[in-house]
Amino acid sequence: MASALFRPSPNYLANASPSSGSNLRIAIVHARWNIQMVSALVAGARKSLLASGVREENIVVQDVPGSYELPFAVQRMYTSSQIESSNNPTGPISAVTDLLSSASLTDLTMPEPTASSPQNSSKSSTAPLATPFSAIIAIGVLVKGETMHFEYIADATSHGLMKVQLDLGVPVVFGLLTLLNEEQGRARAGMDGEHCHGEDWGRVAVELGVKRQVWAEGKFS
């Protein structure tokens, strides 16, 4: 069971209003290992993104085999969104940093329906944004085993995600759970009546996405 000492305070992430994310485009990339816990975390992130005003059509979900692949996927997804934006010159560009060039991208398959909730069947009258992603949420679950594999993957993934966000200048929300057992993961994914950390990650993405837009204009408010 997750200790109350490690749950967010009532004022945590209070800056994200219900309309904050209306002009944001957010990506979620998740690992397929420990898919039940990952699915719950992805659902929590989507829930808070929608509650914060991000439109359904502006949430892009992709999956990769494991957590080790998350940094590369984040890098390639953002690069792909930049190329998409440059191919749509009439669309708005959200930040000066989005004009940076990048290398060629690799193909990323669409996610299996196991982790992302079904798309809204009703068609939106508003076309999805073609801007580079405002923020990317990387989600994975690592459970410690009998070997050093856990430590190597956790360390490499953590450093990789930090490097990607600093190199690209886009917020990468750290959604990697590093667990001693599955019980800890079920609690943090909200599967046993506890708080779902994925909801926090969605709100973080919105807050940082909005602040990034403001900072790119040379402002602080």
Side-chain angles (χ1 to χ4, degrees):
M1 179 177 294
S3 170
L5 293 175
F6 299 101
R7 294 175 186 167
S9 67
N11 295 325
Y12 180 63
L13 303 175
N15 292 333
S17 69
S19 61
S20 294
S22 58
N23 293 321
L24 300 181
R25 188 183 187 207
I26 307 293
I28 300 174
V29 57
H30 68 84
R32 295 194 298 269
W33 275 92
N34 299 304
I35 192 62
Q36 288 187 330
M37 289 179 279
V38 167
S39 295
L41 292 164
V42 170
R46 289 175 60 95
K47 176 183 175 181
S48 62
L49 288 175
L50 293 170
S52 297
V54 181
R55 301 201 307 270
E56 177 75 35
E57 60 268 25
N58 292 329
I59 301 174
V60 178
V61 182
Q62 299 271 279
D63 66 89
V64 291
S67 294
Y68 187 78
E69 290 74 44
L70 288 173
F72 177 76
V74 167
Q75 183 192 60
R76 293 296 87 193
M77 285 184 69
Y78 186 69
T79 298
S80 181
S81 72
Q82 288 180 304
I83 295 173
E84 181 184 31
S85 177
S86 67
N87 290 335
N88 290 272
T90 58
I93 302 299
S94 63
V96 175
T97 54
D98 294 332
L99 298 176
L100 297 174
S101 61
S102 65
S104 60
L105 68 156
T106 57
D107 293 334
L108 288 170
T109 58
M110 291 300 292
E112 298 176 356
T114 50
S116 57
S117 59
Q119 295 292 322
N120 193 329
S121 58
S122 61
K123 297 293 184 180
S124 171
S125 59
T126 306
L129 293 174
T131 56
F133 291 120
S134 309
I136 302 175
I137 307 171
I139 298 178
V141 173
L142 297 173
V143 182
K144 185 173 176 60
E146 297 178 347
T147 70
M148 291 292 291
H149 182 78
F150 169 85
E151 283 81 0
Y152 290 135
I153 299 299
D155 183 70
T157 304
S158 300
H159 284 87
L161 292 174
M162 176 60 75
K163 186 177 188 301
V164 167
Q165 76 167 346
L166 294 178
D167 287 349
L168 296 179
V170 62
V172 177
V173 180
F174 187 76
L176 181 68
L177 293 184
T178 52
L179 313 166
L180 299 179
N181 54 61
E182 289 191 13
E183 180 183 11
Q184 292 177 342
R186 291 182 62 86
R188 286 156 180 78
M191 299 172 68
D192 294 331
E194 299 284 339
H195 173 72
C196 177
H197 287 221
E199 296 180 24
D200 300 333
W201 303 335
R203 287 189 287 269
V204 168
V206 171
E207 180 176 340
L208 288 179
V210 171
K211 287 183 175 178
R212 176 174 177 261
Q213 290 179 338
V214 173
W215 293 334
E217 297 172 357
K219 302 177 182 178
F220 296 100
S221 62

